Amino acid sequence: MTLKQQLTDDMKAAMKSGDKDSLGVIRLINAAIKQKEVDERVELDDAAVLAVLDKMVKQRKDSVTQYEAAAREDLAAIERAEIVVIERYLPTKLDEAAILAAIDAAIAQTGASGAADMGKLMGVLKPQLAGQADMGQVSALVKRRLAG
């Protein structure tokens, strides 16, 4: 079952059970997916849907930070609840050791040796680790690994 089909099934289940909070977030997810499909005129696969979900989580984390800085805990709590629902559809996050193992495998595969090869290395890692790791963290680890 594709991720989009799972979202549709979960939306139907939320409607039947009366879970308004989950239903609202799932509708937001579906709208973001549909918007991306319309903008790019393509049918999104699971990897692209994961990228949309990652972006939504990042946006909400940024919002939480802003709301906490403005002492609006009520709005921050809503954003945190949305993050929980969105993360149900993301794969479990990899720990640093697993990310480093993937980086080492990509280095062996591409023959990367220095900072100039970072783009080539990230090009290999991004599809592999999509949704499983924060790409900012991966980038930092790649820089550290290539620096020696």
Side-chain angles (χ1 to χ4, degrees):
M1 174 185 305
T2 66
L3 202 48
K4 286 185 353 181
Q5 183 61 44
Q6 182 183 355
L7 282 161
T8 303
D9 292 349
D10 288 354
M11 184 172 70
K12 290 175 187 173
M15 280 186 213
K16 288 179 184 175
S17 69
D19 183 1
K20 292 186 187 302
D21 295 333
S22 292
L23 178 61
V25 177
I26 293 170
R27 282 183 171 157
L28 285 172
I29 294 169
N30 283 333
I33 292 168
K34 187 63 74 182
Q35 183 67 47
K36 184 116 171 134
E37 287 179 338
V38 169
D39 289 349
E40 297 181 6
R41 294 186 174 96
V42 293
E43 182 80 16
L44 296 184
D45 60 353
D46 278 354
V49 171
L50 286 174
V52 170
L53 293 173
D54 266 343
K55 183 177 178 183
M56 291 180 77
V57 168
K58 186 175 186 302
Q59 288 170 336
R60 275 149 187 80
K61 286 181 178 177
D62 290 345
S63 295
V64 166
T65 304
Q66 294 293 323
Y67 289 141
E68 287 174 344
R72 292 296 308 264
E73 190 55 42
D74 54 330
L75 296 174
I78 293 169
E79 296 291 327
R80 281 192 213 97
E82 289 182 2
I83 290 171
V84 168
V85 174
I86 296 169
E87 285 182 339
R88 284 189 219 155
Y89 301 100
L90 292 172
T92 56
K93 297 289 183 191
L94 297 174
D95 62 349
E96 189 171 325
I99 295 170
L100 287 172
I103 291 170
D104 290 339
I107 288 173
Q109 175 187 342
T110 61
S113 59
D117 297 324
M118 183 161 171
K120 181 171 39 170
L121 205 53
M122 289 302 290
V124 170
L125 289 169
K126 192 166 187 171
Q128 283 179 0
L129 302 177
Q132 297 177 337
D134 173 26
M135 294 315 289
Q137 178 191 16
V138 173
S139 177
L141 291 171
V142 166
K143 283 179 188 171
R144 195 171 74 198
R145 202 49 130 210
L146 289 177

PDB file of all heavy atoms in Angstrom, residues 100-128 142 145-146:
ATOM      1  N   LEU A 100      26.221   7.293   9.900  1.00  0.00           N
ATOM      2  CA  LEU A 100      27.649   7.209   9.569  1.00  0.00           C
ATOM      3  C   LEU A 100      27.948   5.984   8.715  1.00  0.00           C
ATOM      4  O   LEU A 100      28.779   6.043   7.798  1.00  0.00           O
ATOM      5  CB  LEU A 100      28.495   7.209  10.848  1.00  0.00           C
ATOM      6  CG  LEU A 100      28.579   8.557  11.571  1.00  0.00           C
ATOM      7  CD1 LEU A 100      29.271   8.401  12.925  1.00  0.00           C
ATOM      8  CD2 LEU A 100      29.305   9.586  10.721  1.00  0.00           C
ATOM      9  N   ALA A 101      27.270   4.873   8.990  1.00  0.00           N
ATOM     10  CA  ALA A 101      27.459   3.663   8.187  1.00  0.00           C
ATOM     11  C   ALA A 101      27.003   3.912   6.745  1.00  0.00           C
ATOM     12  O   ALA A 101      27.674   3.494   5.788  1.00  0.00           O
ATOM     13  CB  ALA A 101      26.687   2.504   8.799  1.00  0.00           C
ATOM     14  N   ALA A 102      25.889   4.603   6.579  1.00  0.00           N
ATOM     15  CA  ALA A 102      25.402   4.926   5.236  1.00  0.00           C
ATOM     16  C   ALA A 102      26.370   5.873   4.525  1.00  0.00           C
ATOM     17  O   ALA A 102      26.613   5.732   3.320  1.00  0.00           O
ATOM     18  CB  ALA A 102      24.013   5.546   5.321  1.00  0.00           C
ATOM     19  N   ILE A 103      26.925   6.820   5.263  1.00  0.00           N
ATOM     20  CA  ILE A 103      27.903   7.749   4.683  1.00  0.00           C
ATOM     21  C   ILE A 103      29.145   6.993   4.225  1.00  0.00           C
ATOM     22  O   ILE A 103      29.645   7.205   3.119  1.00  0.00           O
ATOM     23  CB  ILE A 103      28.274   8.866   5.687  1.00  0.00           C
ATOM     24  CG1 ILE A 103      27.083   9.801   5.903  1.00  0.00           C
ATOM     25  CG2 ILE A 103      29.497   9.652   5.211  1.00  0.00           C
ATOM     26  CD1 ILE A 103      27.259  10.788   7.042  1.00  0.00           C
ATOM     27  N   ASP A 104      29.641   6.078   5.067  1.00  0.00           N
ATOM     28  CA  ASP A 104      30.823   5.298   4.703  1.00  0.00           C
ATOM     29  C   ASP A 104      30.562   4.452   3.456  1.00  0.00           C
ATOM     30  O   ASP A 104      31.424   4.344   2.577  1.00  0.00           O
ATOM     31  CB  ASP A 104      31.257   4.407   5.875  1.00  0.00           C
ATOM     32  CG  ASP A 104      31.838   5.223   7.024  1.00  0.00           C
ATOM     33  OD1 ASP A 104      32.263   6.373   6.799  1.00  0.00           O
ATOM     34  OD2 ASP A 104      31.853   4.696   8.163  1.00  0.00           O
ATOM     35  N   ALA A 105      29.362   3.865   3.379  1.00  0.00           N
ATOM     36  CA  ALA A 105      29.014   3.058   2.203  1.00  0.00           C
ATOM     37  C   ALA A 105      28.951   3.937   0.952  1.00  0.00           C
ATOM     38  O   ALA A 105      29.418   3.539  -0.121  1.00  0.00           O
ATOM     39  CB  ALA A 105      27.681   2.353   2.428  1.00  0.00           C
ATOM     40  N   ALA A 106      28.405   5.133   1.087  1.00  0.00           N
ATOM     41  CA  ALA A 106      28.318   6.050  -0.055  1.00  0.00           C
ATOM     42  C   ALA A 106      29.701   6.531  -0.478  1.00  0.00           C
ATOM     43  O   ALA A 106      29.963   6.691  -1.676  1.00  0.00           O
ATOM     44  CB  ALA A 106      27.418   7.231   0.291  1.00  0.00           C
ATOM     45  N   ILE A 107      30.587   6.754   0.485  1.00  0.00           N
ATOM     46  CA  ILE A 107      31.963   7.154   0.162  1.00  0.00           C
ATOM     47  C   ILE A 107      32.646   6.038  -0.622  1.00  0.00           C
ATOM     48  O   ILE A 107      33.316   6.286  -1.632  1.00  0.00           O
ATOM     49  CB  ILE A 107      32.759   7.514   1.436  1.00  0.00           C
ATOM     50  CG1 ILE A 107      32.255   8.847   2.003  1.00  0.00           C
ATOM     51  CG2 ILE A 107      34.257   7.588   1.153  1.00  0.00           C
ATOM     52  CD1 ILE A 107      32.844   9.217   3.360  1.00  0.00           C
ATOM     53  N   ALA A 108      32.466   4.793  -0.182  1.00  0.00           N
ATOM     54  CA  ALA A 108      33.062   3.653  -0.883  1.00  0.00           C
ATOM     55  C   ALA A 108      32.478   3.525  -2.295  1.00  0.00           C
ATOM     56  O   ALA A 108      33.187   3.223  -3.249  1.00  0.00           O
ATOM     57  CB  ALA A 108      32.814   2.372  -0.093  1.00  0.00           C
ATOM     58  N   GLN A 109      31.175   3.781  -2.419  1.00  0.00           N
ATOM     59  CA  GLN A 109      30.495   3.652  -3.713  1.00  0.00           C
ATOM     60  C   GLN A 109      30.928   4.731  -4.699  1.00  0.00           C
ATOM     61  O   GLN A 109      31.145   4.457  -5.875  1.00  0.00           O
ATOM     62  CB  GLN A 109      28.986   3.720  -3.491  1.00  0.00           C
ATOM     63  CG  GLN A 109      28.147   3.716  -4.752  1.00  0.00           C
ATOM     64  CD  GLN A 109      26.679   3.961  -4.472  1.00  0.00           C
ATOM     65  OE1 GLN A 109      26.208   3.814  -3.356  1.00  0.00           O
ATOM     66  NE2 GLN A 109      25.943   4.350  -5.505  1.00  0.00           N
ATOM     67  N   THR A 110      31.064   5.969  -4.209  1.00  0.00           N
ATOM     68  CA  THR A 110      31.367   7.091  -5.106  1.00  0.00           C
ATOM     69  C   THR A 110      32.859   7.384  -5.216  1.00  0.00           C
ATOM     70  O   THR A 110      33.271   8.079  -6.131  1.00  0.00           O
ATOM     71  CB  THR A 110      30.671   8.381  -4.627  1.00  0.00           C
ATOM     72  OG1 THR A 110      31.149   8.717  -3.323  1.00  0.00           O
ATOM     73  CG2 THR A 110      29.166   8.228  -4.617  1.00  0.00           C
ATOM     74  N   GLY A 111      33.642   6.902  -4.272  1.00  0.00           N
ATOM     75  CA  GLY A 111      35.067   7.197  -4.274  1.00  0.00           C
ATOM     76  C   GLY A 111      35.359   8.628  -3.836  1.00  0.00           C
ATOM     77  O   GLY A 111      36.403   9.184  -4.171  1.00  0.00           O
ATOM     78  N   ALA A 112      34.443   9.228  -3.095  1.00  0.00           N
ATOM     79  CA  ALA A 112      34.617  10.605  -2.626  1.00  0.00           C
ATOM     80  C   ALA A 112      35.821  10.677  -1.690  1.00  0.00           C
ATOM     81  O   ALA A 112      36.029   9.803  -0.859  1.00  0.00           O
ATOM     82  CB  ALA A 112      33.361  11.073  -1.907  1.00  0.00           C
ATOM     83  N   SER A 113      36.604  11.766  -1.854  1.00  0.00           N
ATOM     84  CA  SER A 113      37.805  11.870  -1.025  1.00  0.00           C
ATOM     85  C   SER A 113      37.963  13.214  -0.338  1.00  0.00           C
ATOM     86  O   SER A 113      38.714  13.336   0.615  1.00  0.00           O
ATOM     87  CB  SER A 113      39.038  11.591  -1.884  1.00  0.00           C
ATOM     88  OG  SER A 113      39.087  12.514  -2.951  1.00  0.00           O
ATOM     89  N   GLY A 114      37.275  14.226  -0.813  1.00  0.00           N
ATOM     90  CA  GLY A 114      37.452  15.546  -0.213  1.00  0.00           C
ATOM     91  C   GLY A 114      36.169  16.353  -0.250  1.00  0.00           C
ATOM     92  O   GLY A 114      35.139  15.892  -0.732  1.00  0.00           O
ATOM     93  N   ALA A 115      36.270  17.579   0.231  1.00  0.00           N
ATOM     94  CA  ALA A 115      35.109  18.458   0.320  1.00  0.00           C
ATOM     95  C   ALA A 115      34.499  18.750  -1.057  1.00  0.00           C
ATOM     96  O   ALA A 115      33.299  19.001  -1.162  1.00  0.00           O
ATOM     97  CB  ALA A 115      35.488  19.758   1.011  1.00  0.00           C
ATOM     98  N   ALA A 116      35.290  18.671  -2.101  1.00  0.00           N
ATOM     99  CA  ALA A 116      34.781  18.925  -3.452  1.00  0.00           C
ATOM    100  C   ALA A 116      33.778  17.856  -3.880  1.00  0.00           C
ATOM    101  O   ALA A 116      32.946  18.103  -4.761  1.00  0.00           O
ATOM    102  CB  ALA A 116      35.943  18.983  -4.439  1.00  0.00           C
ATOM    103  N   ASP A 117      33.843  16.687  -3.277  1.00  0.00           N
ATOM    104  CA  ASP A 117      32.953  15.581  -3.634  1.00  0.00           C
ATOM    105  C   ASP A 117      31.667  15.561  -2.800  1.00  0.00           C
ATOM    106  O   ASP A 117      30.873  14.631  -2.914  1.00  0.00           O
ATOM    107  CB  ASP A 117      33.674  14.237  -3.448  1.00  0.00           C
ATOM    108  CG  ASP A 117      34.870  14.100  -4.371  1.00  0.00           C
ATOM    109  OD1 ASP A 117      34.786  14.589  -5.514  1.00  0.00           O
ATOM    110  OD2 ASP A 117      35.878  13.499  -3.951  1.00  0.00           O
ATOM    111  N   MET A 118      31.460  16.574  -1.981  1.00  0.00           N
ATOM    112  CA  MET A 118      30.307  16.580  -1.083  1.00  0.00           C
ATOM    113  C   MET A 118      28.980  16.526  -1.833  1.00  0.00           C
ATOM    114  O   MET A 118      28.071  15.804  -1.449  1.00  0.00           O
ATOM    115  CB  MET A 118      30.333  17.793  -0.164  1.00  0.00           C
ATOM    116  CG  MET A 118      29.200  17.773   0.823  1.00  0.00           C
ATOM    117  SD  MET A 118      29.533  18.828   2.193  1.00  0.00           S
ATOM    118  CE  MET A 118      27.946  18.765   2.984  1.00  0.00           C
ATOM    119  N   GLY A 119      28.857  17.283  -2.928  1.00  0.00           N
ATOM    120  CA  GLY A 119      27.619  17.296  -3.708  1.00  0.00           C
ATOM    121  C   GLY A 119      27.291  15.930  -4.272  1.00  0.00           C
ATOM    122  O   GLY A 119      26.140  15.485  -4.229  1.00  0.00           O
ATOM    123  N   LYS A 120      28.319  15.250  -4.792  1.00  0.00           N
ATOM    124  CA  LYS A 120      28.124  13.912  -5.340  1.00  0.00           C
ATOM    125  C   LYS A 120      27.677  12.953  -4.242  1.00  0.00           C
ATOM    126  O   LYS A 120      26.765  12.149  -4.425  1.00  0.00           O
ATOM    127  CB  LYS A 120      29.444  13.442  -5.966  1.00  0.00           C
ATOM    128  CG  LYS A 120      29.385  12.082  -6.591  1.00  0.00           C
ATOM    129  CD  LYS A 120      30.627  11.701  -7.415  1.00  0.00           C
ATOM    130  CE  LYS A 120      31.938  12.142  -6.847  1.00  0.00           C
ATOM    131  NZ  LYS A 120      33.093  11.566  -7.537  1.00  0.00           N
ATOM    132  N   LEU A 121      28.282  13.072  -3.085  1.00  0.00           N
ATOM    133  CA  LEU A 121      27.960  12.210  -1.946  1.00  0.00           C
ATOM    134  C   LEU A 121      26.543  12.467  -1.442  1.00  0.00           C
ATOM    135  O   LEU A 121      25.781  11.528  -1.184  1.00  0.00           O
ATOM    136  CB  LEU A 121      28.972  12.471  -0.831  1.00  0.00           C
ATOM    137  CG  LEU A 121      29.228  11.376   0.177  1.00  0.00           C
ATOM    138  CD1 LEU A 121      29.582  10.071  -0.504  1.00  0.00           C
ATOM    139  CD2 LEU A 121      30.344  11.775   1.106  1.00  0.00           C
ATOM    140  N   MET A 122      26.164  13.743  -1.309  1.00  0.00           N
ATOM    141  CA  MET A 122      24.814  14.076  -0.846  1.00  0.00           C
ATOM    142  C   MET A 122      23.767  13.614  -1.860  1.00  0.00           C
ATOM    143  O   MET A 122      22.662  13.224  -1.492  1.00  0.00           O
ATOM    144  CB  MET A 122      24.688  15.581  -0.578  1.00  0.00           C
ATOM    145  CG  MET A 122      25.444  16.057   0.642  1.00  0.00           C
ATOM    146  SD  MET A 122      24.976  15.253   2.186  1.00  0.00           S
ATOM    147  CE  MET A 122      23.347  15.933   2.437  1.00  0.00           C
ATOM    148  N   GLY A 123      24.111  13.651  -3.142  1.00  0.00           N
ATOM    149  CA  GLY A 123      23.203  13.169  -4.186  1.00  0.00           C
ATOM    150  C   GLY A 123      22.885  11.694  -4.029  1.00  0.00           C
ATOM    151  O   GLY A 123      21.770  11.258  -4.330  1.00  0.00           O
ATOM    152  N   VAL A 124      23.848  10.931  -3.551  1.00  0.00           N
ATOM    153  CA  VAL A 124      23.628   9.504  -3.307  1.00  0.00           C
ATOM    154  C   VAL A 124      22.867   9.294  -1.991  1.00  0.00           C
ATOM    155  O   VAL A 124      21.967   8.464  -1.908  1.00  0.00           O
ATOM    156  CB  VAL A 124      24.987   8.750  -3.265  1.00  0.00           C
ATOM    157  CG1 VAL A 124      24.821   7.326  -2.785  1.00  0.00           C
ATOM    158  CG2 VAL A 124      25.641   8.781  -4.636  1.00  0.00           C
ATOM    159  N   LEU A 125      23.222  10.066  -0.972  1.00  0.00           N
ATOM    160  CA  LEU A 125      22.635   9.863   0.365  1.00  0.00           C
ATOM    161  C   LEU A 125      21.202  10.358   0.486  1.00  0.00           C
ATOM    162  O   LEU A 125      20.400   9.741   1.195  1.00  0.00           O
ATOM    163  CB  LEU A 125      23.505  10.562   1.416  1.00  0.00           C
ATOM    164  CG  LEU A 125      24.850   9.917   1.697  1.00  0.00           C
ATOM    165  CD1 LEU A 125      25.713  10.835   2.540  1.00  0.00           C
ATOM    166  CD2 LEU A 125      24.669   8.571   2.379  1.00  0.00           C
ATOM    167  N   LYS A 126      20.877  11.453  -0.177  1.00  0.00           N
ATOM    168  CA  LYS A 126      19.553  12.059   0.008  1.00  0.00           C
ATOM    169  C   LYS A 126      18.409  11.086  -0.287  1.00  0.00           C
ATOM    170  O   LYS A 126      17.507  10.948   0.530  1.00  0.00           O
ATOM    171  CB  LYS A 126      19.428  13.332  -0.815  1.00  0.00           C
ATOM    172  CG  LYS A 126      18.216  14.151  -0.446  1.00  0.00           C
ATOM    173  CD  LYS A 126      18.278  15.537  -1.014  1.00  0.00           C
ATOM    174  CE  LYS A 126      17.121  16.347  -0.457  1.00  0.00           C
ATOM    175  NZ  LYS A 126      17.215  17.734  -0.786  1.00  0.00           N
ATOM    176  N   PRO A 127      18.410  10.376  -1.429  1.00  0.00           N
ATOM    177  CA  PRO A 127      17.303   9.441  -1.657  1.00  0.00           C
ATOM    178  C   PRO A 127      17.319   8.258  -0.671  1.00  0.00           C
ATOM    179  O   PRO A 127      16.258   7.752  -0.290  1.00  0.00           O
ATOM    180  CB  PRO A 127      17.496   8.957  -3.085  1.00  0.00           C
ATOM    181  CG  PRO A 127      18.716   9.598  -3.617  1.00  0.00           C
ATOM    182  CD  PRO A 127      19.289  10.499  -2.584  1.00  0.00           C
ATOM    183  N   GLN A 128      18.500   7.832  -0.252  1.00  0.00           N
ATOM    184  CA  GLN A 128      18.609   6.706   0.679  1.00  0.00           C
ATOM    185  C   GLN A 128      18.049   7.041   2.053  1.00  0.00           C
ATOM    186  O   GLN A 128      17.410   6.208   2.685  1.00  0.00           O
ATOM    187  CB  GLN A 128      20.075   6.301   0.878  1.00  0.00           C
ATOM    188  CG  GLN A 128      20.693   5.522  -0.223  1.00  0.00           C
ATOM    189  CD  GLN A 128      22.156   5.195   0.086  1.00  0.00           C
ATOM    190  OE1 GLN A 128      22.691   5.568   1.128  1.00  0.00           O
ATOM    191  NE2 GLN A 128      22.797   4.500  -0.826  1.00  0.00           N
ATOM    192  N   VAL A 142      28.717  14.408   6.934  1.00  0.00           N
ATOM    193  CA  VAL A 142      29.481  14.214   5.698  1.00  0.00           C
ATOM    194  C   VAL A 142      30.688  15.154   5.682  1.00  0.00           C
ATOM    195  O   VAL A 142      31.814  14.735   5.371  1.00  0.00           O
ATOM    196  CB  VAL A 142      28.592  14.441   4.449  1.00  0.00           C
ATOM    197  CG1 VAL A 142      29.428  14.575   3.188  1.00  0.00           C
ATOM    198  CG2 VAL A 142      27.596  13.298   4.278  1.00  0.00           C
ATOM    199  N   ARG A 145      33.254  13.840   8.007  1.00  0.00           N
ATOM    200  CA  ARG A 145      33.874  12.618   7.489  1.00  0.00           C
ATOM    201  C   ARG A 145      34.863  12.942   6.373  1.00  0.00           C
ATOM    202  O   ARG A 145      35.953  12.372   6.323  1.00  0.00           O
ATOM    203  CB  ARG A 145      32.758  11.712   6.990  1.00  0.00           C
ATOM    204  CG  ARG A 145      33.052  10.255   6.892  1.00  0.00           C
ATOM    205  CD  ARG A 145      33.671   9.637   8.110  1.00  0.00           C
ATOM    206  NE  ARG A 145      32.966   8.439   8.499  1.00  0.00           N
ATOM    207  CZ  ARG A 145      32.879   8.016   9.717  1.00  0.00           C
ATOM    208  NH1 ARG A 145      33.425   8.688  10.700  1.00  0.00           N
ATOM    209  NH2 ARG A 145      32.262   6.920  10.012  1.00  0.00           N
ATOM    210  N   LEU A 146      34.496  13.877   5.485  1.00  0.00           N
ATOM    211  CA  LEU A 146      35.368  14.219   4.366  1.00  0.00           C
ATOM    212  C   LEU A 146      36.564  15.052   4.812  1.00  0.00           C
ATOM    213  O   LEU A 146      37.611  15.031   4.162  1.00  0.00           O
ATOM    214  CB  LEU A 146      34.581  14.967   3.292  1.00  0.00           C
ATOM    215  CG  LEU A 146      33.569  14.129   2.505  1.00  0.00           C
ATOM    216  CD1 LEU A 146      32.795  15.005   1.527  1.00  0.00           C
ATOM    217  CD2 LEU A 146      34.242  12.986   1.775  1.00  0.00           C
TER     218      LEU A 146
END
